[in-house]
Amino acid sequence: MGALSALEETLENRWEALWARVLDKEPVEVLDALRRECDDNAVVCRAGRVMVPNAYDVELADEVHEQLSRQGTDVGQALTDSLSRHAERKGYEFAGPLAVHVARCPDIPDGRYRVASRVMEHVSVDGFFHAAH
């Protein structure tokens, strides 16, 4: 394992530890749900080329969203980085610029979340946030 890979793995483990403290549960639940959403929607276009959605919505219960907001953590960026590394390891190509939007959702019971994805071609991150609202 190269030094860069070891550093990436260390950073990922620290991010998961932060989720564990904030969510009071295994952080891999949300991260795994995001990765699973990516994997479940992978499409083989031709030999060696696998496309995945590039726009992901993570809806968090009010309580969880509030905790993360108080800490000033850029959760969307951290999840984007994690998903980008996952896709790189799997050899996936995103259907356009990758964006993960994290939002508060009052319909979700405390401590829970919902993850969804879609393809949005040629959309900037700012454009994605406007389209999500």
Side-chain angles (χ1 to χ4, degrees):
M1 178 183 293
L4 186 57
S5 295
L7 176 62
E8 284 179 350
E9 188 172 319
T10 299
L11 291 173
E12 184 118 7
N13 289 340
R14 289 189 183 220
W15 169 243
E16 290 178 2
L18 170 67
W19 272 99
R21 284 195 305 272
V22 172
L23 298 178
D24 221 12
K25 63 173 65 176
E26 282 300 312
V28 289
E29 271 189 53
V30 175
L31 293 171
D32 278 349
L34 190 61
R35 292 172 186 147
R36 193 170 38 255
E37 180 72 16
C38 180
D39 293 343
D40 289 349
N41 290 288
V43 176
V44 178
C45 296
R46 63 173 190 234
R49 186 165 188 208
V50 180
M51 301 295 291
V52 293
N54 62 315
Y56 294 81
D57 292 308
V58 177
E59 296 176 329
L60 300 173
D62 283 336
E63 179 183 310
V64 175
H65 191 276
E66 186 65 34
Q67 288 174 339
L68 292 172
S69 297
R70 278 196 305 262
Q71 291 189 352
T73 304
D74 188 348
V75 178
Q77 185 61 53
L79 289 173
T80 300
D81 294 344
S82 177
L83 188 58
S84 179
R85 286 189 299 275
H86 172 74
E88 186 176 324
R89 284 190 296 267
K90 294 276 197 161
Y92 295 158
E93 291 180 47
F94 290 104
L98 174 61
V100 176
H101 180 249
V102 178
R104 173 188 311 243
C105 186
D107 299 339
I108 298 176
D110 286 343
R112 301 303 308 162
Y113 54 87
R114 185 171 31 228
V115 176
S117 65
R118 63 188 179 281
V119 172
M120 291 181 67
E121 294 185 41
H122 311 294
V123 175
S124 68
V125 173
D126 290 335
F128 172 70
F129 289 131
H130 288 101
H133 295 294

